[in-house]
Amino acid sequence: MTHRRALLAAPFLLAARPVAAREVADATGRRVQLPARVARVFPAGPPAAILVYTLAPDLLAGWPGRPPRPHEAAFMDPAAAALPEVGRLTGRDNTANLEAVLAARPDLVLDYGSVAPVFAQLAERVQAQTGLPTLLLDGSLAKIPETYEMLGVMLDRRPEAAQRAAAASRIIAEARDASALLAQRGRPRVFYARGPRGTETALRGSINAEVIEFAGAENVAVGPPGARGLAQVSVEQVLAWDPDYVMSLDPAFIAMARQDPLWRSLRAVRQGRLVQVPNTPFGWVDFPPGVNRLLGLAWLPILFGLAPPAGLEDRVAAFHQLFYHRDPDRALLRGLLAPAMGRG
């Protein structure tokens, strides 16, 4: 997740809080009073929105940033995909103020991502200014099963949460096994290109590249000591890194790189390892860095040659059924998968 900051432009307001009936703890250990029944959740940013959608789409107040586009909605529950834009409290493009949060009439504000002290303080500030219970859950990949269990308690959806926690645990365990095999065989070196020109990337250790590194590959984009997050780089720098794979969620970049003389001079591009990461309805590597990245963990071992591609379509379809609440159209799904396997 990129750097986050709150945009709370409205004057100090307090919502009428329902009588608290139970106390829960979030991932930072903050103890918060919740009503007996949570009927509406305001997501602080896109990762939180997707998390709530995967577990309890009927409780989601809306989509921060923008609602799903038609080609994304085709893979989603129609009622949830049609929810309105509610603005966002976190990230570089925050648009929600206190009035917007209160107008959504939520029982709970949920953030999902870094649990560093600055974000725990943000949750405290939002709670103080809105009078609404505000919880922060850990967005790291390894914590996804635990996060579902915690959210199942908060939303009283324990059986549904247990299903998703178990599925996430299997994917994570398989990814760890694949990473160990790559460590023995030799880690593929990956450049993750963002944007239509491919010159933005996620530095090693950032949440935006966590899937690549968790799967056992080496992120070639290393910044100054201690640097994390996103950075601008030149094509010449990418040539110097000489990655084994170039990956991108952006089809415009993929098309450009296949024609541009500089990008075409890269060994990875010449050898057919310019890979389009699936990004519908949500990205498999980031965009946003949420639970949607589990599909990236399931896919990368196949891309790196540790498992055969047979069965990937069925496995992705099963994930969509459980997490995205829709059995995907198989023709659409095959169109999504083909570029990811070098057939697009």
Side-chain angles (χ1 to χ4, degrees):
M1 180 173 299
T2 53
H3 176 68
R4 303 184 300 175
R5 62 186 186 275
L7 181 62
L8 301 179
F12 188 91
L13 298 169
L14 284 177
R17 290 181 66 174
V19 176
R22 56 199 173 105
E23 184 180 72
V24 299
D26 71 3
T28 69
R30 296 172 54 251
R31 303 199 69 83
V32 175
Q33 300 291 319
L34 289 184
R37 176 175 174 268
V38 172
R40 196 166 173 83
V41 180
F42 189 100
I50 295 171
L51 176 65
V52 175
Y53 168 67
T54 60
L55 180 60
D58 55 307
L59 303 187
L60 186 62
W63 298 99
R66 63 166 177 81
R69 298 186 174 111
H71 72 282
E72 297 162 338
F75 287 94
M76 299 173 64
D77 171 76
L83 289 170
E85 180 177 345
V86 294
R88 57 191 294 174
L89 290 169
T90 60
R92 292 181 295 179
D93 304 311
N94 12 358
T95 55
N97 58 25
L98 294 185
E99 284 106 339
V101 176
L102 295 174
R105 302 181 64 83
D107 301 302
L108 168 66
V109 176
L110 183 73
D111 198 5
Y112 179 54
S114 172
V115 292
V118 64
F119 303 123
Q121 293 163 12
L122 169 59
E124 284 287 348
R125 188 161 65 250
V126 170
Q127 181 166 295
Q129 292 180 304
T130 62
L132 295 167
T134 302
L135 296 167
L136 173 59
L137 297 179
D138 193 327
S140 63
L141 284 167
K143 293 284 190 178
I144 289 176
E146 179 182 332
T147 292
Y148 272 118
E149 297 284 5
M150 294 179 73
L151 189 61
V153 171
M154 295 168 183
L155 303 184
D156 196 21
R157 299 289 175 91
R158 290 170 179 81
E160 297 91 336
Q163 278 185 297
R164 287 149 183 81
S169 294
R170 288 191 295 270
I171 293 171
I172 289 168
E174 291 167 3
R176 284 191 168 121
D177 290 343
S179 179
L181 289 173
L182 285 178
Q184 296 172 10
R185 192 186 76 179
R187 298 187 184 278
R189 303 174 69 253
V190 173
F191 175 71
Y192 179 47
R194 290 171 49 104
R197 306 305 300 173
T199 51
E200 182 180 70
T201 193
L203 296 176
R204 188 179 298 175
S206 72
I207 194 170
N208 303 85
E210 186 185 12
V211 165
I212 293 168
E213 297 166 23
F214 198 102
E218 178 185 340
N219 178 8
V220 299
V222 181
R228 297 288 188 273
L230 303 178
Q232 293 291 327
V233 298
S234 66
V235 184
E236 290 77 12
Q237 177 61 73
V238 183
L239 285 164
W241 283 328
D242 189 27
D244 300 309
Y245 291 84
V246 175
M247 298 181 183
S248 178
L249 284 158
D250 196 319
F253 165 74
I254 298 292
M256 182 276 295
R258 286 175 175 154
Q259 302 298 322
D260 182 86
L262 266 179
W263 284 104
R264 287 178 64 185
S265 68
L266 270 173
R267 176 174 57 90
V269 177
R270 295 196 315 269
Q271 296 179 356
R273 292 195 294 270
L274 173 64
V275 181
Q276 183 171 329
V277 180
N279 63 355
T280 307
F282 312 110
W284 287 17
V285 170
D286 68 345
F287 281 100
V291 296
N292 43 294
R293 299 176 297 159
L294 288 169
L295 280 171
L297 285 185
W299 160 65
L300 285 174
I302 297 172
L303 181 70
F304 296 146
L306 297 176
L312 178 63
E313 180 184 319
D314 288 341
R315 190 172 186 190
V316 173
F319 183 96
H320 275 238
Q321 291 165 15
L322 179 61
F323 287 85
Y324 296 159
H325 310 285
R326 185 162 183 171
D327 188 3
D329 177 276
R330 287 307 180 104
L332 290 177
L333 187 57
R334 284 190 287 272
L336 181 67
L337 295 178
M341 303 310 298
R343 300 193 299 271

